[in-house]
Amino acid sequence: MSAEQLSAHLGGADVREALAELADTYRERGVHLVERGKRWQFQTAPDLAHLLRREKEQVRRLSRAATEVLAIVAYHEPVSRAEIEAIRGVQTSSGTLDVLMEAGWVRVAGRREVPGRPVIYATTPDFLSHFGLASRKDLPGLDELKAAGLLDPVDDAFEALTGQDRSGDGDERFAEPNESEDAVLENREESA
């Protein structure tokens, strides 16, 4: 409360001297009476503040979009937002990059020297530390991701989705392009 508000509650008494005396009395205690912005308040003594501070770690999961953007930045850095969108195939919300920068995993790495000078993004040392990587070279490769079951081979995923075999034994529309036997024979005859 301000000194004027306190004075009004006490019937117009002069409270300035009393506030100064109270502040001096509380100076050696666990709380201090201080004036901040013309208002008087009690606050915890600075040497005891750490005992009363509550810190709760809040675990937040990244959205699928944020995870995709983080992976693209990690594997393709430095990368611009337009390049991220081209790889993902959808527009990227500015909030997605903001979340990654707030987490300390992505940073602005400069601007690309092309018309429009787009901002480019890269990962941070905190990203490497959080995921236990010594460098970006330690990121898992395609074979490691498939072995861990994180990626399905494209052909297996296609077969599971459509029930069609792309190996050439099934539907001819998906067979590998091969020269017909007639064309091979014609080429042999012409060279002979």
Side-chain angles (χ1 to χ4, degrees):
M1 298 178 74
S2 68
E4 292 77 21
Q5 289 172 319
L6 289 170
S7 178
H9 281 291
L10 298 173
D14 185 21
V15 294
R16 294 249 174 230
E17 281 185 42
L19 287 171
E21 192 174 318
L22 276 173
D24 191 45
T25 302
Y26 279 95
R27 191 172 318 265
E28 299 300 322
R29 296 187 179 185
V31 292
H32 293 169
L33 181 62
V34 295
E35 185 179 16
R36 301 278 188 252
K38 296 187 179 184
R39 296 183 185 273
W40 288 84
Q41 65 186 27
F42 282 102
Q43 73 179 29
T44 305
D47 59 329
L48 299 175
H50 70 282
L51 297 173
L52 299 175
R53 184 174 294 122
R54 288 185 187 171
E55 292 182 7
K56 183 178 178 185
E57 189 171 315
Q58 185 177 5
V59 178
R60 294 188 315 177
R61 294 184 59 94
L62 286 179
S63 67
R64 181 178 176 155
T67 304
E68 289 174 0
V69 169
L70 181 60
I72 290 167
V73 172
Y75 281 94
H76 298 279
E77 73 179 59
V79 62
S80 70
R81 184 175 170 158
E83 292 166 330
I84 293 169
E85 291 173 351
I87 293 169
R88 286 188 69 219
V90 295
Q91 192 171 18
T92 301
S93 165
S94 61
T96 303
L97 285 166
D98 291 342
V99 165
L100 295 173
M101 287 192 285
E102 184 180 309
W105 295 341
V106 172
R107 65 181 172 83
V108 173
R111 292 189 171 269
R112 189 137 294 134
E113 295 297 326
V114 296
R117 296 184 36 85
V119 172
I120 52 176
Y121 300 94
T123 56
T124 65
D126 287 346
F127 165 78
L128 297 174
S129 174
H130 182 82
F131 290 100
L133 303 170
S135 72
R136 283 186 38 240
K137 292 178 184 175
D138 295 335
L139 286 169
L142 193 56
D143 293 335
E144 292 171 294
L145 292 173
K146 284 181 184 177
L150 297 173
L151 294 178
D152 290 330
V154 175
D155 291 339
D156 293 346
F158 180 80
E159 285 178 30
L161 185 65
T162 63
Q164 297 175 340
D165 183 11
R166 292 181 65 177
S167 65
D169 299 331
D171 192 339
E172 292 301 315
R173 292 176 296 163
F174 300 106
E176 294 293 322
N178 293 324
E179 291 185 82
S180 68
E181 290 180 11
D182 294 334
V184 172
L185 290 174
E186 287 176 11
N187 287 339
R188 285 186 189 160
E189 290 174 357
E190 288 177 4
S191 56

